[in-house]
């Protein structure tokens, strides 16, 4: 199963609802394009909802990091929402859990953008 | 009831993403038949997938003239996966530590780390040409001496 992205705007924040697998190839490219599109359209506050992401590999982790860096370099913020246990564990063992701003509730995540 | 008989499969595949998916599915099948629990199977499968990605992407660089060979073996003690490519080879000891502060925000370089994190043994062998990774997961943890 490939990855799908649905984009919505909530209070000036771009929410990307991701579903499927973020892996080398199509999944990683889809995520990269979605973040790039959001930045190109002027979005600077981006929330990635990973609640329906069933699987992520090292390429997908790398793409999350690249997205985070791209948004930061553009003067914005990228936060993560609704990690599955598997993704949570992967970010912990790769020590990225403390790099990302991670939330369990969308309302709280949206409020956390300055 | 896990299957404890020895079984082996060897696949010769092209340097494509589809090959990575084939390796992943086969690893999943072997891990399930070996009786690993639901928390461990995804980790095994991810490690094998990462090894296949290394072979296709970093080893063979998607070269259609090059192939990867993936072999899968289960016996009474272990699951053993071997993934070989025909690339220039690499020195695993020179792979940067992805947990180091200077590398933590790199967009790549976590594959070998994840393989080591999820498998009990990882061995590298230089081929001529290419390289081979052997990934081993023991079916039961070693018991401490009493």
């Amino acid at each position: 199963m490939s990855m799908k992205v649905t984009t919505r705007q909530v209070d000036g924040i771009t929410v990307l609802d991701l579903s499927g697998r973020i892996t080398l190839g199509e999944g990683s490219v889809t995520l990269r394009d979605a973040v790039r599109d959001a930045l190109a359209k002027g979005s600077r506050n981006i929330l990635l909802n990973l609640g329906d992401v069933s699987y992520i590999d090292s390429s997908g982790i790398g793409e999350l990091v690249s997205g985070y860096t791209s948004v930061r370099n553009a003067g914005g913020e990228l936060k993560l929402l609704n990690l599955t246990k598997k993704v949570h564990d992967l970010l912990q063992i790769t020590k990225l859990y403390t790099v990302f701003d991670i939330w369990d509730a969308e309302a709280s995540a949206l409020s956390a953008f300055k | 009831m896990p299957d404890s008989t020895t079984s082996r499969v060897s696949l010769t595949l092209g340097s494509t993403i589809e090959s990575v998916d084939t390796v992943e599915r086969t690893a999943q099948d072997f891990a399930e038949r070996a009786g690993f629990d639901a928390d461990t199977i995804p980790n095994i499968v991810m490690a094998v997938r990462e090894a296949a990605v290394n072979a296709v992407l970093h080893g063979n660089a998607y070269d259609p003239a090059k192939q990867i060979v993936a072999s899968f073996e289960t016996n009474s003690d272990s699951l053993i996966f071997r993934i070989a490519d025909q690339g220039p080879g690499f020195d695993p000891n020179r792979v940067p530590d992805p947990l180091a502060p200077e590398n933590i925000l790199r967009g790549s370089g976590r594959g070998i780390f994840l393989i080591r994190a999820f498998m009990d043994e990882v061995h590298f062998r230089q081929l001529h040409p290419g390289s081979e990774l052997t990934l081993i997961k023991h079916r039961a943890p070693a018991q401490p001496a009493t």
Side-chain angles (χ1 to χ4, degrees):
Chain A
M1 185 172 112
S2 59
M3 198 190 78
K4 291 182 182 172
V5 181
T6 303
T7 304
R8 54 193 167 95
Q9 299 294 324
V10 184
D11 299 333
I13 294 160
T14 299
V15 182
L16 303 179
D17 296 304
L18 313 181
S19 62
R21 290 163 57 100
I22 311 177
T23 58
L24 177 71
E26 192 179 353
S28 292
V29 171
T30 303
L31 172 57
R32 186 184 317 156
D33 289 348
V35 172
R36 279 183 184 167
D37 284 353
L39 287 173
K41 289 174 180 166
S43 299
R44 290 298 176 266
N45 292 325
I46 297 174
L47 180 61
L48 296 186
N49 179 5
L50 304 179
D52 288 327
V53 171
S54 58
Y55 186 90
I56 186 166
D57 68 2
S58 70
S59 298
I61 295 170
E63 209 52 58
L64 288 180
V65 173
S66 296
Y68 171 86
T69 307
S70 297
V71 175
R72 288 272 297 239
N73 289 345
E77 287 184 83
L78 182 144
K79 301 179 189 298
L80 304 182
L81 174 66
N82 289 332
L83 303 192
T84 62
K85 181 181 182 301
K86 186 69 190 164
V87 174
H88 172 279
D89 291 349
L90 278 173
L91 292 186
Q92 278 214 317
I93 66 171
T94 52
K95 291 195 175 179
L96 289 167
Y97 198 77
T98 54
V99 170
F100 288 106
D101 195 10
I102 296 169
W103 297 85
D104 293 328
E106 181 170 319
S108 303
L110 294 170
S111 299
F113 284 97
K114 295 164 190 157
Chain B
M1 188 69 159
D3 179 2
S4 61
T5 58
T6 298
S7 63
R8 292 186 186 87
V9 167
S10 183
L11 305 174
T12 300
L13 302 163
S15 302
T16 64
I17 295 290
E18 289 73 23
S19 297
V20 173
D21 293 338
T22 299
V23 170
E24 179 182 359
R25 283 194 301 272
T26 309
Q28 172 97 25
D29 182 45
F30 267 72
E32 287 175 353
R33 283 195 285 126
F36 284 95
D37 62 64
D39 287 335
T40 305
I41 289 172
N43 294 342
I44 294 171
V45 174
M46 172 171 277
V48 178
R49 179 183 171 87
E50 294 292 341
V53 166
N54 272 350
V56 165
L57 174 63
H58 302 300
N60 290 353
Y62 296 120
D63 185 342
K66 294 178 178 174
Q67 296 176 313
I68 67 168
V69 177
S71 66
F72 309 79
E73 177 183 334
T74 180
N75 58 40
S76 58
D77 299 323
S78 308
L79 262 177
I80 303 168
F81 306 95
R82 291 187 179 86
I83 312 287
D85 63 58
Q86 298 175 311
F90 75 106
D91 181 352
N93 296 319
R94 297 188 67 176
V95 176
D97 175 9
L99 303 187
E102 65 271 25
N103 297 327
I104 199 77
L105 289 179
R106 285 184 58 165
S108 62
R110 296 178 178 84
I112 295 292
F113 171 81
L114 291 176
I115 292 169
R116 285 178 163 144
F118 292 143
M119 301 304 284
D120 294 321
E121 296 179 44
V122 180
H123 305 287
F124 299 84
R125 188 161 70 101
Q126 193 69 48
L127 306 176
H128 301 284
S131 56
E132 178 187 79
L133 270 75
T134 300
L135 284 54
I136 299 174
K137 190 72 174 178
H138 302 303
R139 296 181 77 161
Q143 299 299 311
T146 54

